[in-house]
Amino acid sequence: MTDEFPDFSGPFPIDGADRRREALYIALAAVPAGHVVSYGQLAELAGLGRAARWVGRTLSQLPEGSTLPWHRVVAAGGRLSLPLGSPSGDEQRARLRSEGVQIMNNRVDIARHGWRPM
């Protein structure tokens, strides 16, 4: 993984929204298994400032079959924002548990499972 953007000098112009999404996807791909980040933290890691809501909206629109670890993104304080009993909420909980992340009272222990890159 690199800190630089891929080469966008091809025949199609890349607008600011595409660059923001690319930065978000690069940051998200770096979150290791067994760890979580908040929407706000992910925005900061991607160089997007305080764009937590934009991050959530963008992740909700990932293409079907995406391999990005969207399930590792939680709300502030470790709260799982996807509803329990919903297909996406159940999938997030199952994926996190399969990675060894413990969930208690609809929260992840950020002190234990939060990712703090160097």
Side-chain angles (χ1 to χ4, degrees):
M1 184 122 341
T2 178
D3 292 334
E4 305 268 331
F5 283 110
D7 177 17
F8 289 122
S9 61
F12 303 104
I14 302 297
D15 66 15
D18 286 338
R19 289 191 187 276
R20 287 171 48 110
R21 267 190 302 281
E22 185 73 20
L24 172 64
Y25 296 165
I26 289 168
L28 177 56
V31 180
H35 292 84
V36 297
V37 294
S38 71
Y39 293 99
Q41 180 186 2
L42 186 58
E44 288 179 22
L45 290 169
L48 303 172
R50 300 173 51 92
R53 288 183 184 203
W54 180 85
V55 167
R57 197 169 41 254
T58 302
L59 293 182
S60 74
Q61 299 168 356
L62 284 175
E64 185 71 30
S66 171
T67 60
L68 288 170
W70 59 268
H71 62 283
R72 297 180 189 145
V73 185
V74 298
R79 185 177 56 81
L80 297 179
S81 57
L82 297 173
L84 184 63
S86 69
S88 55
D90 291 347
E91 181 177 353
Q92 181 183 36
R93 286 162 179 79
R95 285 184 180 201
L96 288 173
R97 286 185 177 116
S98 75
E99 294 179 357
V101 175
Q102 295 177 343
I103 300 168
M104 301 260 318
N105 298 322
N106 207 40
R107 288 189 182 274
V108 170
D109 182 352
I110 291 294
R112 181 174 184 183
H113 298 291
W115 184 51
R116 295 170 230 21
M118 296 293 185

